[in-house]
mmCIF file of all heavy atoms in Angstrom:
data_model
loop_
_atom_site.group_PDB
_atom_site.id
_atom_site.type_symbol
_atom_site.label_atom_id
_atom_site.label_comp_id
_atom_site.label_asym_id
_atom_site.label_seq_id
_atom_site.Cartn_x
_atom_site.Cartn_y
_atom_site.Cartn_z
ATOM 1 N N ASN A 133 -36.269 2.297 21.383
ATOM 2 C CA ASN A 133 -36.443 2.180 22.832
ATOM 3 C C ASN A 133 -35.104 2.249 23.551
ATOM 4 O O ASN A 133 -34.987 2.866 24.602
ATOM 5 C CB ASN A 133 -37.151 0.876 23.196
ATOM 6 C CG ASN A 133 -38.602 0.877 22.736
ATOM 7 O OD1 ASN A 133 -39.207 1.930 22.530
ATOM 8 N ND2 ASN A 133 -39.162 -0.316 22.572
ATOM 9 N N ARG A 134 -34.080 1.608 22.974
ATOM 10 C CA ARG A 134 -32.757 1.655 23.606
ATOM 11 C C ARG A 134 -32.244 3.094 23.647
ATOM 12 O O ARG A 134 -31.688 3.533 24.648
ATOM 13 C CB ARG A 134 -31.790 0.770 22.807
ATOM 14 C CG ARG A 134 -30.393 0.769 23.395
ATOM 15 C CD ARG A 134 -29.489 -0.307 22.788
ATOM 16 N NE ARG A 134 -29.692 -0.564 21.383
ATOM 17 C CZ ARG A 134 -28.908 -0.051 20.413
ATOM 18 N NH1 ARG A 134 -27.923 0.742 20.707
ATOM 19 N NH2 ARG A 134 -29.138 -0.357 19.157
ATOM 20 N N ALA A 135 -32.474 3.846 22.590
ATOM 21 C CA ALA A 135 -32.032 5.242 22.552
ATOM 22 C C ALA A 135 -32.772 6.066 23.594
ATOM 23 O O ALA A 135 -32.168 6.904 24.258
ATOM 24 C CB ALA A 135 -32.259 5.833 21.160
ATOM 25 N N GLU A 136 -34.065 5.837 23.742
ATOM 26 C CA GLU A 136 -34.844 6.575 24.740
ATOM 27 C C GLU A 136 -34.362 6.250 26.133
ATOM 28 O O GLU A 136 -34.209 7.118 26.983
ATOM 29 C CB GLU A 136 -36.326 6.237 24.601
ATOM 30 C CG GLU A 136 -36.970 6.860 23.373
ATOM 31 C CD GLU A 136 -38.399 6.381 23.188
ATOM 32 O OE1 GLU A 136 -38.960 5.762 24.107
ATOM 33 O OE2 GLU A 136 -38.942 6.640 22.097
ATOM 34 N N ARG A 137 -34.108 4.956 26.392
ATOM 35 C CA ARG A 137 -33.651 4.556 27.716
ATOM 36 C C ARG A 137 -32.288 5.159 28.032
ATOM 37 O O ARG A 137 -32.016 5.600 29.116
ATOM 38 C CB ARG A 137 -33.555 3.031 27.804
ATOM 39 C CG ARG A 137 -34.897 2.341 27.882
ATOM 40 C CD ARG A 137 -34.734 0.863 28.231
ATOM 41 N NE ARG A 137 -33.765 0.157 27.407
ATOM 42 C CZ ARG A 137 -34.043 -0.441 26.254
ATOM 43 N NH1 ARG A 137 -35.241 -0.412 25.759
ATOM 44 N NH2 ARG A 137 -33.096 -1.078 25.595
ATOM 45 N N ALA A 138 -31.411 5.170 27.045
ATOM 46 C CA ALA A 138 -30.055 5.678 27.270
ATOM 47 C C ALA A 138 -29.979 7.174 27.139
ATOM 48 O O ALA A 138 -29.043 7.791 27.632
ATOM 49 C CB ALA A 138 -29.101 5.021 26.267
ATOM 50 N N GLY A 139 -30.950 7.781 26.434
ATOM 51 C CA GLY A 139 -30.904 9.227 26.205
ATOM 52 C C GLY A 139 -29.810 9.631 25.236
ATOM 53 O O GLY A 139 -29.336 10.749 25.258
ATOM 54 N N THR A 140 -29.405 8.692 24.356
ATOM 55 C CA THR A 140 -28.338 8.974 23.401
ATOM 56 C C THR A 140 -28.766 8.557 22.008
ATOM 57 O O THR A 140 -29.751 7.854 21.825
ATOM 58 C CB THR A 140 -27.041 8.207 23.755
ATOM 59 O OG1 THR A 140 -27.314 6.815 23.688
ATOM 60 C CG2 THR A 140 -26.545 8.592 25.144
ATOM 61 N N ASP A 141 -27.975 8.927 21.047
ATOM 62 C CA ASP A 141 -28.191 8.509 19.662
ATOM 63 C C ASP A 141 -27.992 7.007 19.587
ATOM 64 O O ASP A 141 -27.024 6.477 20.145
ATOM 65 C CB ASP A 141 -27.185 9.217 18.775
ATOM 66 C CG ASP A 141 -27.460 9.028 17.303
ATOM 67 O OD1 ASP A 141 -27.831 7.915 16.881
ATOM 68 O OD2 ASP A 141 -27.323 10.000 16.562
ATOM 69 N N PRO A 142 -28.883 6.274 18.892
ATOM 70 C CA PRO A 142 -28.736 4.823 18.836
ATOM 71 C C PRO A 142 -27.549 4.338 18.024
ATOM 72 O O PRO A 142 -27.131 3.219 18.148
ATOM 73 C CB PRO A 142 -30.050 4.366 18.189
ATOM 74 C CG PRO A 142 -30.514 5.517 17.414
ATOM 75 C CD PRO A 142 -30.049 6.741 18.176
ATOM 76 N N GLU A 143 -27.004 5.192 17.165
ATOM 77 C CA GLU A 143 -25.890 4.767 16.327
ATOM 78 C C GLU A 143 -24.575 4.939 17.086
ATOM 79 O O GLU A 143 -24.293 5.994 17.633
ATOM 80 C CB GLU A 143 -25.869 5.605 15.044
ATOM 81 C CG GLU A 143 -24.932 5.042 14.029
ATOM 82 C CD GLU A 143 -25.048 5.753 12.690
ATOM 83 O OE1 GLU A 143 -25.965 6.546 12.496
ATOM 84 O OE2 GLU A 143 -24.185 5.517 11.842
ATOM 85 N N ILE A 144 -23.808 3.887 17.117
ATOM 86 C CA ILE A 144 -22.495 3.919 17.768
ATOM 87 C C ILE A 144 -21.478 4.358 16.726
ATOM 88 O O ILE A 144 -21.435 3.803 15.630
ATOM 89 C CB ILE A 144 -22.129 2.539 18.320
ATOM 90 C CG1 ILE A 144 -23.159 2.118 19.375
ATOM 91 C CG2 ILE A 144 -20.728 2.526 18.888
ATOM 92 C CD1 ILE A 144 -23.022 0.695 19.820
ATOM 93 N N PRO A 145 -20.635 5.337 17.036
ATOM 94 C CA PRO A 145 -19.686 5.804 16.034
ATOM 95 C C PRO A 145 -18.641 4.747 15.682
ATOM 96 O O PRO A 145 -18.239 3.946 16.512
ATOM 97 C CB PRO A 145 -19.028 7.018 16.677
ATOM 98 C CG PRO A 145 -19.377 6.989 18.101
ATOM 99 C CD PRO A 145 -20.538 6.067 18.282
#
Side-chain angles (χ1 to χ4, degrees):
N133 292 338
R134 180 169 35 99
E136 288 174 11
R137 287 191 310 271
T140 62
D141 189 320
E143 192 172 350
I144 298 171

